[in-house]
Amino acid sequence: MKYLESWELRAEFARRLSVMYGAEVPAYNTLVGVSTEVNRDFFERHGASAERFGSISRVTAERHGAIRVGSPREMAQVARVFAAFGMYPVGFYDLRDASSSAVPVVSTAFRPVDPEELARNPFRVFTSMLAAEDPRFFTPTLQEELAAFIGARKLFGEELLTLADRAAAEKSLGEADAERLLTLATAVFELSDEPVDLEWYRRLEAVSAVAADIGGVTTTHINHLTPRVLDIDGLYERMQSRGITMIDEIQGPPRWPGPDVLLRQTSFRALGENRVFRHSDGTVHDGELRVRFGEVEARGIALTAAGRVLYDDMVAETDRLLADHPHETRVDLARTVWERHLPHTEQDLAEQGLAFFTFTINEEALSADPVVCAVTLQSLIAAGIVTPEPIVYEDFLPRSAAGIFQSNLTEKGSKDEGQTGTDYDIDRMSLIVGATVLDPTDLYQRQQDASVTALAQRLGVDVT
Ligand code: OOG
Ligand code: NI
């Protein structure tokens, strides 16, 4: 019998979700088409160096999804489903305070962790849980009703969970079981045609459209599926010229002449989708909801803790400048801040310890200038004996995530700042998910350290 390994299951899961979402949201297919064109042009222009941030095949197939669930129980179950595909929780994002609109969720991302697994297929899903007992958003009555409504629904059936557990434990599945797992797992995220209880939905919507999307219906669905492009500015222009209105600006780092770092994202609001509503008199009517959208992203180099502090400081400085110069655009101001503070080359980022890299040896430089005693990595880079290769940022940015949620909301919702919010952190999220939520920076550090160790062995010296 043929067996499918985790990565094959993951690649096929991503592909099936993509087919399903494309049928549900046709603008997504346009986005994927334009992204493919942009990537092809980029590869033609840049040749082999275009693959320093991921192989053509990886980037072409690369997607992230976003889903939203309602309770710790659902979060633990979805973690079991993703584990079947070799996707584990990485990073903690608290979006409750990161936006001026009411976004009552805390999140993590399920993704492959090992570099080889990421290279095979990097599918990741940004997964948010409704903070349904946060008193800043929900009154005690609403909290009780939400708990009852979400507690009564069943997003993941026993058959799916049992198959998923087996796939996770064995890291593979026979063909027939794999087919069943994929069918069941994909179906969970399909938009449902179950009637929506209009009154309940509207009550939640008055607090937060996100709360209504999560807790107002008996099912869950993919909120968006995001392709990756190598030139997001080019993509933005091409989409606009096709008449698809993108949000005002690209989130994350500005366009600038130096290296691409972290993550840049932009999105457009999808059209309204037909949904069936049950009114309070029991009658059922057609209606429309507008909760899903299109998003695209470009990924750059992962930053070290020091690099991240610098990044956050630059964002804060841009905010201050924008407050003082309200007629300027954020991206223009951000560009001047970046030009001032961020090293303009990968080499400088590496030497200053601001970003993560793996290292390859330049044999020619090494034979001209053999290394005989303990050396610093910095001196090896400066001497051209090793070349830093960027480690790609595989995670998300809380502020951009909040911006993505927000770009999709027409109402601000309500939040009672007089109350104290429920405490959540990465440890509490680990308990909820039922597995350790990994720290992204630790993962990049481990990858870089392994590369330095290999380098030291090859050179036969200590590298510090
Ligand atoms: C998730 C929003 C965050 C991203 O790319 O930052 C996100 C959501 O809308 O459910 O997907
Ligand atoms: Ni997204």
Side-chain angles (χ1 to χ4, degrees), residues 64-66 126 223-226 265 293 295 297 396 401 404:
H64 86 246
F126 192 92
N223 176 272
H224 59 269
L225 209 53
T226 300
Q265 299 179 309
F293 54 92
E295 183 194 39
E297 67 190 12
F396 293 86
I404 297 292

Side-chain angles (χ1 to χ4, degrees), residues 64-68 93 95 103 105 107 125-128 210 213-214 222-224 226 263 265 291 293 295-297 299 395-406 408:
H64 86 246
I67 62 153
R68 305 159 174 185
Y93 306 87
L95 302 182
V103 180
V105 302
S107 317
V125 179
F126 192 92
T127 304
S128 302
V210 176
D213 182 44
I214 301 173
I222 280 263
N223 176 272
H224 59 269
T226 300
L263 175 67
Q265 299 179 309
V291 291
F293 54 92
E295 183 194 39
V296 64
E297 67 190 12
R299 292 187 169 268
D395 295 285
F396 293 86
L397 295 174
R399 187 174 169 134
S400 302
I404 297 292
F405 268 106
Q406 198 172 343
N408 195 34

Side-chain angles (χ1 to χ4, degrees), residues 142-153:
L142 206 46
Q143 286 180 38
E144 252 175 57
E145 287 174 281
L146 260 176
F149 186 90
I150 291 168
R153 73 186 186 183

Side-chain angles (χ1 to χ4, degrees), residues 42-86:
F42 188 88
F43 278 116
E44 274 167 20
R45 273 204 314 279
H46 292 84
S49 73
E51 292 199 287
R52 294 178 71 240
F53 286 82
S55 69
I56 302 183
S57 62
R58 169 184 161 163
V59 174
T60 309
E62 184 157 350
R63 300 284 184 278
H64 86 246
I67 62 153
R68 305 159 174 185
V69 298
S71 65
R73 183 177 68 105
E74 291 178 357
M75 198 68 172
Q77 290 178 337
V78 83
R80 287 164 65 189
V81 173
F82 289 140
F85 300 104

